[in-house]
Amino acid sequence: MGFGKDRGNRRGQHGAHADLVAESNQEASASSHSSLPTAQSSQSARSTPLSVDIETLPGVGPRRSAVLRARQIATLADALMHLPYRYEDLRRRDEVTTLRAGTTAVVEGALQNVADRAMPGRWSRRMATAFLRQSSGKGIRVVWFNLRSGNLPAGEPLVLSGRVTSAPNGTLELVHPEIYRLRDGAAPAIRPIYSLPAEISQRLFTSMIGQALQHGSRAGLDAIPPELRKGGKLCDVIEALRYLHTPPADASLEQLQAGATVAHRALALDEMFTFQLALARERSRLRTRAGAALAGQARLTSELRASLPFALTASQLRAIDEISAELAGPSQMNRILLGDVSSGKTLVAFYAALRAVDSGWQAAIMAPTELLAEQHFANFNRMCGRLGITAALLTGRVGTSERARLLRALRRGEIPVAFGTHALIQEGVAMRRLGIAIIDEQHRFGVFDRARLMALGSQANVLLMTATPIPRSLALALFRNLNVSSLDELPPGRTAVTTEVVGEDALAAVDASVRAELERGRRAYYVLPLIEGEQDDPDSVVAAARRLAAGPLKEFAIGMLHGRMRPAEKDQVMRAFRDGAVQVLVSTTVVEVGIDVPQATIIVIVAAERYGLAQLHQLRGRVGRGADASRCCLIVSSQAGPQARARVERLAQCKSGAEVAELDLQMRGPGDLFGARQTGALPLRFARFIRDFALIEQAGDLAQEWLQHDPELAAAEASGARNALARMLDFGFSLGDVG
Ligand code: ADP
Ligand code: MG
């Protein structure tokens, strides 16, 4: 989830590399090598509470503490919450004869021939060298930077773990390895590796963790109170942290790496509990907040309904009823509308906007891209223009004088409905009587954007909309602070998109199908994972566009779309595609949001195995928007394994977002229900929605139980939950929003 494995890894690799350099700048001593720091630094820290500022710890100081603080690590307790991003297995033993440069090795033996040298090229720096001899008699040269040989424990049994490199003369060396003395029995079985900034060594951080663990016993890190910890089935937070920072010798490396231990679950549950408490309190607070009561005569909404060329679906009717009923009340509405791509959310939004206008209030509708805002504005004018309602469109494309005119009219309340992008929440925008703020594709916005939109009217009701496929049960738990409406059917008459999964060898046939569609006057998308690749990587937008233009589709206009283009350029290409001047759009996933080009009838997704299931479903939703039958071709790379292909094939069988969500949930994949941006917005560090789905409900029940005894959360504020609770509440729950 929020602390995605990928991100951690990348940072971690960098950290581990830089670490070596950083350590070479310190005076390392053999004693700090020699054992796990828990045993070593206990004396000085006996009275250290977990709330102690890290700056006061030995070896930290102002410079390093500033670096750590920038990573939200200010106290020992914070350090404890920073989990290892991977583990090294020190239970294995490598034979020096089988080592290869560029790998890490764990070797056992004794040091001989320890000596000091000047570091080549840097005469002021010293290094220690030694020869590690295994019991077999074979050995390897070892070097340590900035370490005096006198500090090395020569002659006694050791385990060294470190990187193998190739010296200039071609022999292998072990560079700056960790030393574990077997005599102490101190070699850990599994060593945690942290993702850290360059200034902080693994050793220093491990020592901080050691101090924290010494003093963290029952120190109130837990949010879940002991009364709710039924029958001791849940381990407490400090025990969970101890397990993850200093795993026992019999721990499963795979489970640790995968975040699948009981300890992970305990942390996730505790965090979810806090999250649910925060949501529940937020909900009760929002319930009492005054909102514009939109209870006027339903004149415009009836007229709109009478003028529609189609009947509303049952889900649309239900959502409209739910929304209208809540809007009519005196407290602020905070509701999220969930609905699969093309389920007709826009029309529900228009209804809600017209309820405001009917009642003498204004409405604002914000969308994440100019194109989408324009699309909504055009649709609104088409559907509601004849009802005599003026709407404004505020985007970055609006000129200065036109903008000034629109702003004046909005401020005076002369324009009842405003559409726009971020331009709606810029300085200088004000609305006289904002009765409802609607946010389309809400997960594309940050919490502050939403706050700013709501700041346009203190009594504004809020309607969020999203097509993120999410099972209703999960949505109810996740959006506990909001009311939820969902559209669970598509309007009738849609032709289902035929989805096929093919291998790379079928590319020519796929191009031919695209060609056939284009020849019938239709349009096509190609989606690729990269913008441009090395040596014409066929998975790149640039290479694919060149390939198609050179042969298979050379008579057709081909446009490119990717995230590195300026917004104005992107817009121009999208517009050309919408209007037909461009017939083939070769794009990265930037195309996935909300765009409605009904003439597009085929989408080709290259290297489909690289995408999340929800993302594939969103992409597929770009076609099948008109009356014509549409196709989605998922091309699986030849190097993709059978599992990856099976996953794509299962997606192909899912027709609806709900099915995709269920599938995602079953597979417990990398949590791709939520895009990185969305999860980044959640103040959660341990819980992962998909993996921990069952926990969310359990946590919700526990939170409910707590609330019955402590509705004001006075006790929660005084407990271990305090910090986490504050973090979650601060994070923008007051915006009636979690995601
Ligand atoms: P989304 O939920 O993805 O935002 P839209 O609101 O863009 O979907 O709707 C997709 C298309 O379906 C639009 O062209 C819209 O006019 C049409 N539509 C909406 N409701 C109905 C309905 N009840 N019957 C037929 N078509 C509908
Ligand atoms: Mg939409």
Side-chain angles (χ1 to χ4, degrees):
M1 281 244 15
F3 56 127
K5 220 189 251 154
D6 283 343
R7 236 187 310 160
N9 270 336
R10 239 173 285 131
R11 222 191 292 132
Q13 271 155 16
H14 170 74
H17 168 74
D19 202 33
L20 208 56
V21 180
E23 283 180 22
S24 70
N25 294 332
Q26 297 163 25
E27 268 301 300
S29 75
S31 66
S32 72
H33 281 279
S34 63
S35 63
L36 260 191
T38 23
Q40 188 228 328
S41 43
S42 55
Q43 277 322 76
S44 62
R46 179 126 297 162
S47 58
T48 321
L50 283 183
S51 59
V52 75
D53 188 327
I54 43 158
E55 188 171 340
T56 63
L57 299 176
V60 181
R63 192 175 60 91
R64 294 204 178 92
S65 66
V67 171
L68 285 169
R69 228 171 266 128
R71 293 270 195 106
Q72 266 75 54
I73 300 172
T75 64
L76 274 184
D78 296 336
L80 274 183
M81 298 296 170
H82 188 71
L83 297 185
Y85 83 95
R86 71 179 178 86
Y87 293 87
E88 199 169 272
D89 193 349
L90 295 178
R91 293 171 294 196
R92 77 169 210 250
R93 293 288 183 269
D94 295 314
E95 272 301 313
V96 291
T97 47
T98 62
L99 297 183
R100 280 181 302 116
T103 60
T104 55
V106 181
V107 282
E108 188 174 329
L111 293 179
Q112 301 181 333
N113 306 346
V114 296
D116 290 302
R117 300 266 158 83
M119 265 171 73
R122 304 178 76 175
W123 300 106
S124 60
R125 296 280 180 83
R126 307 292 297 172
M127 61 190 229
T129 63
F131 186 75
L132 179 85
R133 182 182 293 276
Q134 292 187 321
S135 54
S136 65
K138 297 268 189 320
I140 185 170
R141 203 175 102 102
V142 193
V143 302
W144 286 272
F145 306 116
N146 266 18
L147 181 71
R148 276 183 298 261
S149 62
N151 289 324
L152 289 171
E156 62 172 282
L158 302 172
V159 170
L160 302 192
S161 115
R163 245 184 129 58
V164 182
T165 62
S166 184
N169 68 3
T171 59
L172 294 182
E173 298 182 333
L174 207 50
V175 179
H176 210 78
E178 293 289 327
I179 305 174
Y180 304 100
R181 305 171 93 139
L182 290 180
R183 188 180 289 164
D184 302 349
I190 300 175
R191 179 187 176 222
I193 312 278
Y194 298 91
S195 153
L196 295 169
E199 294 82 350
I200 310 297
S201 68
Q202 294 291 329
R203 195 172 310 140
L204 176 61
F205 195 77
T206 310
S207 129
M208 290 164 58
I209 295 292
Q211 295 181 50
L213 286 174
Q214 285 278 304
H215 302 283
S217 53
R218 306 291 177 283
L221 285 173
D222 295 272
I224 300 175
E227 312 88 270
L228 296 189
R229 203 183 291 285
K230 286 173 197 123
K233 248 184 280 166
L234 308 164
C235 83
D236 65 17
V237 167
I238 194 71
E239 284 318 310
L241 290 170
R242 188 185 306 283
Y243 187 92
L244 297 176
H245 286 295
T246 56
D250 61 352
S252 149
L253 199 71
E254 291 70 40
Q255 285 183 3
L256 281 170
Q257 308 270 32
T261 66
V262 177
H264 284 104
R265 292 175 68 77
L267 292 182
L269 179 66
D270 203 76
E271 182 173 56
M272 265 300 166
F273 171 76
T274 315
F275 185 64
Q276 295 283 343
L277 267 186
L279 289 178
R281 184 172 87 163
E282 188 54 25
R283 185 185 179 90
S284 60
R285 215 177 58 76
L286 288 174
R287 280 227 176 103
T288 60
R289 198 147 84 181
L294 308 180
Q297 286 271 308
R299 186 178 68 83
L300 294 167
T301 46
S302 318
E303 283 182 33
L304 171 63
R305 186 140 162 221
S307 72
L308 286 175
F310 46 70
L312 293 170
T313 65
S315 328
Q316 282 172 320
L317 285 170
R318 193 183 56 231
I320 287 170
D321 280 349
E322 288 164 357
I323 291 168
S324 304
E326 195 177 2
L327 286 177
S331 51
Q332 190 184 59
M333 177 176 85
N334 285 279
R335 184 172 286 270
I336 186 160
L337 176 62
L338 310 172
D340 203 352
V341 280
S342 97
S343 57
K345 294 184 291 295
T346 317
L347 199 55
V348 177
F350 289 177
Y351 254 81
L354 292 185
R355 286 304 295 136
V357 182
D358 265 333
S359 315
W361 292 76
Q362 289 169 291
I365 302 173
M366 185 159 75
T369 64
E370 292 196 347
L371 208 79
L372 207 51
E374 256 181 51
Q375 188 176 290
H376 287 335
F377 179 65
N379 282 337
F380 186 83
N381 285 334
R382 192 162 47 77
M383 291 182 180
C384 308
R386 58 180 160 259
L387 309 180
I389 313 165
T390 326
L393 175 65
L394 215 55
T395 67
R397 292 166 63 86
V398 176
T400 323
S401 63
E402 170 69 356
R403 182 179 147 86
R405 188 185 71 77
L406 290 176
L407 291 189
R408 208 175 318 114
L410 287 172
R411 199 176 320 114
R412 291 184 184 154
E414 292 160 5
I415 298 183
V417 183
F419 288 89
T421 53
H422 277 95
L424 264 180
I425 50 175
Q426 236 101 79
E427 280 286 317
V429 182
M431 293 180 74
R432 196 172 78 87
R433 238 166 103 75
L434 185 65
I436 186 166
I438 301 173
I439 301 184
D440 192 17
E441 308 289 350
Q442 63 97 19
H443 58 281
R444 292 278 162 155
F445 289 95
V447 282
F448 298 109
D449 297 332
R450 280 164 253 174
R452 271 153 60 200
L453 185 65
M454 275 140 237
L456 290 178
S458 61
Q459 297 200 67
N461 295 284
V462 178
L463 179 64
L464 306 172
M465 305 201 289
T466 186
T468 302
I470 175 175
R472 195 176 157 82
S473 51
L474 180 57
L476 288 175
L478 208 51
F479 301 118
R480 204 172 267 259
N481 57 339
L482 304 173
N483 289 321
V484 178
S485 292
S486 40
L487 303 184
D488 44 24
E489 63 193 318
L490 295 183
R494 294 281 165 79
T495 47
V497 178
T498 312
T499 307
E500 51 210 270
V501 180
V502 297
E504 268 170 23
D505 47 344
L507 191 59
V510 169
D511 290 340
S513 317
V514 170
R515 201 187 160 79
E517 291 295 309
L518 296 175
E519 279 166 353
R520 296 158 77 185
R522 294 169 186 167
R523 274 161 241 166
Y525 295 99
Y526 279 81
V527 178
L528 296 111
L530 307 172
I531 297 174
E532 49 199 353
E534 279 170 28
Q535 287 152 16
D536 279 340
D537 190 323
D539 290 348
S540 82
V541 166
V542 175
R546 199 181 301 143
R547 181 183 72 78
L548 294 170
L553 304 177
K554 66 170 176 286
E555 300 89 343
F556 301 96
I558 298 174
M560 283 196 283
L561 191 70
H562 57 72
R564 225 180 280 154
M565 291 161 67
R566 279 181 287 115
E569 288 175 316
K570 276 196 263 187
D571 245 55
Q572 197 182 354
V573 173
M574 257 332 289
R575 230 174 283 279
F577 184 65
R578 180 189 64 192
D579 302 337
V582 160
Q583 293 142 301
V584 184
L585 191 63
V586 184
S587 170
T588 56
T589 53
V590 292
V591 81
E592 97 195 58
V593 166
I595 292 306
D596 194 23
V597 179
Q599 297 85 350
T601 52
I602 186 162
I603 183 165
V604 179
I605 303 176
V606 177
E609 75 282 358
R610 295 214 209 167
Y611 299 94
L613 296 182
Q615 204 174 14
L616 286 175
H617 181 67
Q618 287 269 3
L619 286 166
R620 176 169 62 178
R622 293 315 102 211
V623 299
R625 306 191 139 249
D628 301 319
S630 292
R631 289 170 67 181
C632 170
C633 303
L634 301 171
I635 302 186
V636 176
S637 314
S638 47
Q639 70 264 30
Q643 266 183 322
R645 178 160 182 147
R647 180 171 151 274
V648 174
E649 269 163 3
R650 288 186 66 184
L651 172 93
Q653 275 143 34
C654 294
K655 296 285 175 252
S656 68
E659 283 173 67
V660 174
E662 290 296 341
L663 177 61
D664 225 354
L665 209 57
Q666 272 171 31
M667 298 194 131
R668 313 252 161 156
D672 48 33
L673 270 192
F674 293 86
R677 244 178 286 182
Q678 190 165 9
T679 52
L682 288 167
L684 296 171
R685 322 159 79 143
F686 302 124
R688 302 183 194 177
F689 284 120
I690 306 312
R691 183 196 67 186
D692 299 325
F693 179 55
L695 291 182
I696 297 177
E697 294 190 311
Q698 197 186 343
D701 294 345
L702 289 174
Q704 211 62 51
E705 227 172 292
W706 176 303
L707 274 178
Q708 274 159 20
H709 303 296
D710 181 21
E712 294 304 312
L713 299 190
E717 297 268 8
S719 81
R722 188 184 59 237
N723 288 340
L725 195 61
R727 190 157 50 86
M728 292 181 191
L729 290 171
D730 276 2
F731 206 85
F733 282 86
S734 51
L735 316 178
D737 164 69
V738 285

